[in-house]
Amino acid sequence: MSQLSTQHLLGIKHLKEEDINLIFETADQFKEVINRPIKKVPSLRDITIANLFFENSTRTKLSFELAEKRLSADVINFSASQSSVKKGETLIDTVNNILSMKVDIVVMRHPNVGAADFLSKHVDARIVNAGDGTHEHPTQALLDSYSIREKLGSVKGKKVVIVGDILHSRVALSNIYALKLQGAEVKVCGPTSLIPKYITELGVGVETNLRKALEWCDVANMLRVQNERMEVKYFPTTREYAQLFGINKDLLNSLSKEIVIMHPGPINRGVEITSDVADSKQSIILNQVENGVAIRMAVIYLLAQQIKRN
Amino acid sequence: MSQKLLLNSKEIHLTLHRLACQLIENHGDFSNTVLIGIQPRGVFLAERIAKVLKETYQIKNIQLGQLDITFYRDDFRRRDEPLKANQTNIHCIVENKNVVFIDDVLYSGRSINASLSAIQSFGRPNNIELMVLIDRRFSRHLPIQPTYRGRQVDVINEEKVVVNWHENNDEDAVYIITKN
């Protein structure tokens, strides 16, 4: 297989295992490219990409922008806080105006679930979902699986626990789809108030005791508590959350085996993870960031490959 | 479809030795030379040439790399079947080095054009030469010619030159294939 089965990257749910393998094999080559003295290839020199961020982002936005520039694409950036969206313009109008400037690919982050899917049905461009509300964040899940594959050789058969605010996390949902598709065993762990009621229907286990979850797993993906999405209180205090669901060096050292620690960022040091764990040799947090650029280059390259030019 | 044998195993063996000797004439002990096989098929020829240089002519310290040009091609998004990227392995900086590109067949010259762009990501070579096993005369789209050639052939556009190696096809042979 040398091309993706999909025209857009809206979510992991729409991908096949072969798509993920193709993205990873392509990312392997881009990882070599970004470690060269000159970290740029000319493949996308006639492609224009719009990064539309209707929600705050640091890491993802920079990672996408760097990936696009490393592929030699022309890049335009847009953030909702400085735009006509504030003046009442609709999403389709905003995007169609941008597309009139001959844009080929749109990378979009939006606070509403399904925004990327909606856009893909109404505009003539390839869409990459960079996070839609609490729904999916496919490139994050791809780079997480890619980092596990890099560290442990493969994802198949590995035991992965996703710890924290599962209810509000698009990273958790995309990760569950991606890990299950590649044959990993997945558990989620967190306060019962932050675990969706029907999560087990996705084929994942639920564990509310962090120590038990960590003893079971090969990889722990620690998520941030998304206070900005919480309208009510889901746990009594941050201190109590950190005591029950935060990982620290003593807990890590007391486990019977060495596990891999991941975090999609931004980290709340001292809440879900302490500094000594985040900076320990078991942590692959910075590898995830580096792999993010290679994965995003691969996704954009493979989508651009389908845009025919004569 | 019909096929005609252009080079058999013995002829390929002789050609490899001749090409290796021509390289030695120009590169001496190879201390400032990097041989680069162009992915995917030039890699087999590059490895064979390096083997002959090492085993028959006792050249030590041969620097051998593999260059993938998929991301540099000028036909990206113009092909019916997309190309899959291969591995690039260049473990040295080519700054001020004498680089020899090695490929199996020189046809339009576009792959070599892409290789000339790609190699610049690894530094500015002192000079670049090109070695090919088969040079398809009169089919160039660009002003590119080989420095070392195994055999020159006149083949029409509808015909295909296929190089088989023991490593991937269980025989060393070059065929001209004609579609009827």
Side-chain angles (χ1 to χ4, degrees):
Chain A
M1 185 166 149
S2 56
Q3 69 182 344
L4 294 175
S5 66
T6 168
Q7 294 195 330
H8 311 278
L9 181 65
L10 303 175
I12 302 291
K13 197 178 178 182
H14 305 280
L15 296 185
K16 297 177 177 150
E17 194 182 356
E18 300 85 68
D19 291 319
I20 294 186
N21 292 337
L22 177 62
I23 292 169
F24 286 1
E25 283 161 19
T26 311
D28 284 340
Q29 310 315 328
F30 282 123
K31 188 147 185 201
E32 185 273 322
V33 167
I34 60 177
N35 282 294
R36 288 179 190 174
I38 295 173
K39 303 162 173 57
K40 198 169 172 127
V41 294
S43 306
L44 269 62
R45 61 195 150 194
D46 58 345
I47 291 277
T48 306
I49 303 177
N51 295 321
L52 313 185
F53 280 75
F54 294 89
E55 201 180 61
N56 291 337
S57 165
T58 312
R59 200 174 334 263
T60 308
K61 193 173 168 186
L62 285 177
S63 182
F64 266 111
E65 191 174 342
L66 194 58
E68 291 152 5
K69 287 180 171 170
R70 295 262 192 262
L71 290 165
S72 300
D74 288 322
V75 180
I76 51 174
N77 288 309
F78 163 100
S79 76
S81 56
Q82 304 147 9
S83 71
S84 299
V85 174
K86 292 263 180 222
K87 299 175 190 165
E89 194 172 54
T90 68
L91 177 60
I92 293 180
D93 280 345
T94 302
V95 175
N96 272 329
N97 272 286
I98 292 165
L99 291 183
S100 331
M101 301 177 206
K102 309 291 176 217
V103 167
D104 305 286
I105 299 175
V106 172
V107 174
M108 185 174 77
R109 168 166 289 188
H110 200 280
N112 292 348
V113 169
D117 188 46
F118 173 77
L119 201 61
S120 72
K121 292 187 172 85
H122 291 90
V123 302
D124 182 23
R126 310 285 155 147
I127 311 293
V128 180
N129 182 4
D132 59 333
T134 57
H135 181 222
E136 280 228 45
H137 189 353
T139 54
Q140 180 69 45
L142 289 169
L143 75 90
D144 286 346
S145 291
Y146 184 79
S147 303
I148 295 172
R149 168 184 176 265
E150 187 179 68
K151 181 78 179 173
L152 301 176
S154 80
V155 176
K156 194 176 172 70
K158 299 292 179 297
K159 294 174 177 168
V160 182
V161 64
I162 304 170
V163 183
D165 181 359
I166 312 296
L167 186 66
H168 298 102
S169 174
R170 53 192 171 213
V171 176
L173 186 60
S174 286
N175 255 291
I176 289 168
Y177 286 137
L179 292 166
K180 295 295 289 178
L181 196 59
Q182 295 169 89
E185 287 183 62
V186 185
K187 275 188 183 177
V188 294
C189 177
T192 41
S193 55
L194 287 174
I195 292 181
K197 195 173 174 187
Y198 298 107
I199 193 91
T200 50
E201 291 188 8
L202 296 174
V204 303
V206 176
E207 178 59 73
T208 50
N209 182 315
L210 181 63
R211 173 174 286 280
K212 279 188 189 166
L214 297 178
E215 284 287 0
W216 171 82
C217 73
D218 302 307
V219 179
N221 197 350
M222 309 301 293
L223 304 183
R224 182 176 64 90
V225 175
Q226 307 212 9
N227 290 313
E228 73 277 15
R229 295 190 201 279
M230 293 182 186
E231 283 145 8
V232 294
K233 264 200 166 305
Y234 286 86
F235 48 84
T237 61
T238 302
R239 186 163 169 268
E240 187 177 320
Y241 178 88
Q243 281 176 345
L244 288 172
F245 297 100
I247 188 163
N248 57 44
K249 197 74 182 167
D250 289 341
L251 177 57
L252 198 62
N253 289 341
S254 70
L255 300 174
S256 55
K257 62 178 173 182
E258 197 167 280
I259 62 167
V260 177
I261 302 293
M262 300 173 72
H263 195 300
I267 301 176
N268 284 330
R269 287 177 183 255
V271 182
E272 68 271 9
I273 188 167
T274 55
S275 284
D276 48 5
V277 173
D279 304 330
S280 72
K281 66 177 178 35
Q282 282 165 261
S283 149
I284 56 166
I285 296 171
L286 292 177
N287 304 51
Q288 288 174 264
V289 180
E290 184 187 346
N291 290 338
V293 178
I295 283 287
R296 289 177 177 116
M297 284 174 83
V299 165
I300 290 166
Y301 175 84
L302 291 167
L303 289 177
Q305 199 173 50
Q306 302 171 352
I307 304 170
K308 292 288 176 203
R309 289 272 200 273
N310 293 313
Chain B
M1 197 173 77
S2 64
Q3 66 176 35
K4 193 180 106 187
L5 184 68
L6 184 66
L7 293 177
N8 62 25
S9 171
K10 192 179 173 193
E11 287 166 328
I12 289 181
H13 178 80
L14 284 172
T15 307
L16 290 178
H17 281 260
R18 174 167 56 77
L19 290 171
C21 289
Q22 287 178 331
L23 274 180
I24 295 169
E25 275 182 28
N26 287 351
H27 294 269
D29 63 356
F30 287 73
S31 56
N32 200 38
T33 298
V34 186
L35 305 180
I36 304 274
I38 306 302
Q39 285 275 24
R41 304 187 60 90
V43 169
F44 298 113
L45 177 60
E47 282 168 1
R48 286 295 188 88
I49 290 285
K51 194 173 173 215
V52 172
L53 287 170
K54 269 184 214 163
E55 292 177 2
T56 311
Y57 300 101
Q58 279 76 48
I59 309 276
K60 289 170 190 158
N61 307 321
I62 289 187
Q63 297 192 73
L64 177 66
Q66 301 164 346
L67 180 66
D68 183 66
I69 55 159
T70 311
F71 304 135
Y72 296 84
R73 295 186 66 97
D74 61 3
D75 57 356
F76 177 61
R77 289 184 285 110
R78 286 165 180 83
R79 300 175 71 96
D80 295 333
E81 257 306 289
L83 288 171
K84 213 166 169 178
N86 290 292
Q87 221 174 10
T88 292
N89 281 316
I90 297 180
H91 298 298
C92 57
I93 295 289
V94 297
E95 189 79 25
N96 289 327
K97 291 270 170 45
N98 300 316
V99 169
V100 183
F101 285 156
I102 302 180
D103 208 352
D104 61 350
V105 180
L106 177 61
Y107 181 29
S108 66
R110 288 180 187 268
S111 298
I112 302 305
N113 186 33
S115 308
L116 290 167
S117 305
I119 198 68
Q120 290 174 35
S121 298
F122 299 90
R124 181 179 181 270
N126 185 40
N127 64 52
I128 300 176
E129 294 178 326
L130 172 61
M131 172 186 283
V132 295
L133 185 63
I134 306 295
D135 171 16
R136 290 181 64 157
R137 206 155 56 139
F138 307 132
S139 58
R140 220 73 80 231
H141 299 174
L142 299 165
I144 285 169
Q145 301 303 336
T147 322
Y148 314 95
R149 62 167 72 85
R151 178 72 72 95
Q152 196 167 48
V153 291
D154 296 340
V155 181
I156 57 170
N157 283 344
E158 286 68 35
E159 292 173 324
K160 203 175 171 192
V161 177
V162 175
V163 181
N164 289 343
W165 297 103
H166 257 302
E167 292 85 334
N168 65 341
N169 283 89
D170 290 332
E171 63 162 357
D172 286 348
V174 181
Y175 294 99
I176 296 177
I177 295 176
T178 312
K179 281 181 190 166
N180 295 325

